[in-house]
Amino acid sequence: MSAEQVHGQVHTEMPSGLRASDADRDRVLDALTAAVGDGRLTAGEHEERAAAALSARTHGELEVLTTDLPAVTAGPLPVKDVVRIEQLGSSTARGDEWSVPRRMDISSAWGDVTLDFTRAVIGHDTLRIDLDLRGGTLRLITRPGVVVDSDCLAIEYGTAKVRPAGEPGTPVVLRVEIHGRLSMGRLEVRPRRRLFGRRTATA
């Protein structure tokens, strides 16, 4: 994705009708939060625009939320310390150069959670996942240097399949430690699948 994150306005070369990703929504939310801190938006305006950003489906719907804010170039988005995912009967995926936090709290019932690390932005050497999953799949798509440790995960009526990515001795860039409980579900850790030498979808 080719986009420029700015302190206020978020500029993008994407067509306005293109579907927005979770990362796109997060960028706009961060810009709106910064605008509140600068006194450019009131708390009420921030709440209204943040709700619109969370429900936006296209880039065009996101762009209108920051058009009246100044475009001041800023550095990369800060990596969050904690990310929480709570869902019931639905599925969530992280990919497209998402920023890996220090810790994730995942509570999911009858849905899947997919974390794709193949193009993730890794700012820490360790990610701790506190998991409470029932009746679904936690799927981690890894790359060489991403190591997953599930020794502290309690599994009840479920399965775990962990396939390493890369050759033994590959330098570790990220260690993923999974804690918590998995009940009537599945843990799947594997590299991105390939077909005839080309990468395929992570699903």
Side-chain angles (χ1 to χ4, degrees):
M1 174 182 165
S2 174
E4 182 182 359
Q5 164 69 24
V6 295
H7 185 64
Q9 189 173 348
V10 177
H11 292 297
T12 176
E13 298 176 357
M14 293 293 187
S16 61
L18 189 69
R19 288 278 179 163
S21 68
D22 288 335
D24 298 326
R25 298 183 187 91
D26 287 343
R27 290 186 182 95
V28 172
L29 289 172
D30 287 340
L32 295 175
T33 299
V36 173
D38 290 343
R40 301 183 188 277
L41 292 178
T42 66
E45 289 171 331
H46 175 268
E47 182 177 355
E48 180 180 352
R49 295 192 190 194
L54 290 171
S55 62
R57 295 184 178 181
T58 66
H59 279 265
E61 293 174 355
L62 289 175
E63 288 171 2
V64 299
L65 300 175
T66 60
T67 53
D68 60 345
L69 300 177
V72 180
T73 302
L77 289 176
V79 178
K80 298 179 179 178
D81 281 338
V82 182
V83 170
R84 294 180 175 85
I85 296 176
E86 297 184 15
Q87 61 185 28
L88 174 62
S90 60
S91 296
T92 299
R94 291 288 187 273
D96 294 333
E97 301 181 358
W98 67 291
S99 296
V100 179
R102 294 183 185 275
R103 183 163 63 89
M104 298 187 75
D105 292 337
I106 301 176
S107 177
S108 175
W110 314 111
D112 298 340
V113 177
T114 300
L115 304 178
D116 188 343
F117 294 95
T118 55
R119 298 181 60 194
V121 178
I122 299 174
H124 307 296
D125 58 5
T126 303
L127 165 63
R128 174 182 172 122
I129 297 178
D130 290 304
L131 181 69
D132 182 6
L133 187 145
R134 290 167 289 153
T137 299
L138 173 62
R139 182 179 297 107
L140 306 184
I141 311 300
T142 59
R143 72 191 196 208
V146 175
V147 176
V148 178
D149 181 356
S150 60
D151 289 346
C152 294
L153 178 65
I155 300 177
E156 304 170 353
Y157 304 105
T159 60
K161 185 175 182 180
V162 179
R163 294 174 51 196
E167 299 295 330
T170 300
V172 177
V173 297
L174 177 68
R175 182 179 182 84
V176 182
E177 300 177 351
I178 306 177
H179 299 251
R181 180 173 64 95
L182 185 154
S183 177
M184 295 182 290
R186 177 181 174 87
L187 169 65
E188 178 182 327
V189 180
R190 60 171 174 80
R192 183 184 287 262
R193 291 188 178 126
R194 294 176 180 268
L195 182 62
F196 301 114
R198 294 186 177 181
R199 290 182 177 179
T200 63
T202 59

